[in-house]
Amino acid sequence: MDARRAEQILKSPDTIGVKYRNNYVWIEDVDKGRNTAHVTYLEEGNTLHVSIELLEETGPVG
């Protein structure tokens, strides 16, 4: 994923699935300068900063 798409997902009114290392995450913030995102694991609630390139979009969640 690129920073532009991560930001679009963050601002989208729709819920769009995103995975980091095969676990679903919620994008909290995007740092385009560092090409990182602050994400929260949906199941565990842990937060971390990750490289945006490692995020995988899975599509709309219905």
Side-chain angles (χ1 to χ4, degrees):
M1 179 178 304
D2 62 30
R4 182 183 57 79
R5 182 61 184 146
E7 201 162 59
Q8 287 173 345
I9 291 171
L10 175 65
K11 294 178 180 179
S12 174
D14 300 319
T15 303
I16 300 169
V18 176
K19 283 187 171 184
Y20 172 70
R21 295 189 177 171
N22 290 325
N23 294 291
Y24 280 100
V25 295
W26 186 261
I27 299 174
E28 303 286 352
D29 191 33
V30 174
D31 183 339
K32 290 192 286 188
R34 294 183 178 180
N35 203 40
T36 61
H38 181 217
V39 300
T40 300
Y41 281 107
L42 295 184
E43 291 185 15
E44 301 164 7
N46 299 340
T47 62
L48 64 155
H49 284 88
V50 301
S51 172
I52 292 171
E53 295 171 356
L54 299 177
L55 297 177
E56 174 188 351
E57 182 178 350
T58 61
V61 175

